[in-house]
Amino acid sequence: QQWARIRGSNQSEAGFDVGVWADDSFVIVGDTNSGTTGTDAWLLRYDRWGNSQWDKRLGGAGNQWGTGVLANADGTVTMVGRDYNNKTKSDILLARVGPWGYSDCQKAASCGKRSLAECDDNNPCTIDGCDTIDGCTNTPAKAGTSCAVGKICAGKVCTGG
C-alpha cells in the first residue's frame, strides 16, 4: 500500500467508479448523503499521490447518484448517474465538468489560461464566450446583425448596410 485516504462526513458516502488520466491523477464518482437536501452525486479529483484537488456535488431537489465516470483526455470529467426528484420516476443524470470541477467560465473566473475580460475582442460582430477547456471563443454574429448605425455584420466584419 502506497497511501490510503478516507473522505466523508457524518452521514453516508460511497464511491462507485474511478477514471484515470495519463498522469495517474484520477476522479472518483459516487454520492454523499451529508447535505440537507437528500443524496447528491459527488465527484472527487485527486493527484497521483492521493492529494485532493477538488470535489463537486451535483444535486438538486430529490436525490442524485453518480455511478459511472470518464476521465477525458482534455482534462474534463463526464459522469453518468441517476436522478430522482420525488415527483416523477427516475431519470438519467449526465454531467460534464471542466478540469477543476467547474461547469462554466463564470464560476471558474477564468477562461482557460486567460481572464474573462481578456475574451472580449472589442468586435461588435462576434459573440464573445468562454470554454473552460479551449479558452476564449469569438463566434461570428448572425449575418445581418446590426453592429453600428447603418451597418451590419457580415461574418466577423462590420460593413455598410
Side-chain angles (χ1 to χ4, degrees):
Q1 177 175 321
Q2 293 181 349
W3 51 261
R5 304 285 187 270
I6 296 175
R7 283 291 301 268
S9 189
N10 60 349
Q11 295 293 322
S12 174
E13 285 77 30
F16 296 107
D17 197 12
V18 176
V20 181
W21 283 280
D23 67 356
D24 290 332
S25 62
F26 58 96
V27 62
I28 298 170
V29 68
D31 56 64
T32 176
N33 194 23
S34 293
T36 58
T37 60
T39 300
D40 292 331
W42 200 16
L43 289 168
L44 304 100
R45 184 168 180 170
Y46 291 87
D47 66 18
R48 67 185 313 162
W49 301 279
N51 298 310
S52 176
Q53 301 296 295
W54 54 259
D55 67 277
K56 180 170 185 64
R57 293 170 74 130
L58 300 162
N63 297 303
Q64 294 75 37
W65 299 270
T67 56
V69 67
L70 288 174
N72 302 312
D74 64 2
T76 61
V77 176
T78 304
M79 66 139 297
V80 66
R82 180 175 162 221
D83 177 83
Y84 182 76
N85 66 15
N86 298 329
K87 294 180 183 176
T88 63
K89 61 183 183 208
S90 293
D91 293 313
I92 293 173
L93 171 63
L94 182 64
R96 178 179 181 238
V97 298
W100 291 100
Y102 297 106
S103 55
D104 67 51
C105 300
Q106 292 296 330
K107 291 179 183 174
S110 67
C111 189
K113 295 181 181 178
R114 301 174 74 185
S115 73
L116 293 176
E118 291 176 294
C119 289
D120 184 355
D121 65 357
N122 294 312
N123 182 341
C125 290
T126 61
I127 301 166
D128 303 319
C130 172
D131 183 281
T132 55
I133 306 305
D134 297 327
C136 297
T137 58
N138 305 103
T139 307
K142 183 177 178 183
T145 300
S146 176
C147 53
V149 176
K151 295 187 176 193
I152 60 169
C153 293
K156 290 186 176 183
V157 179
C158 187
T159 64

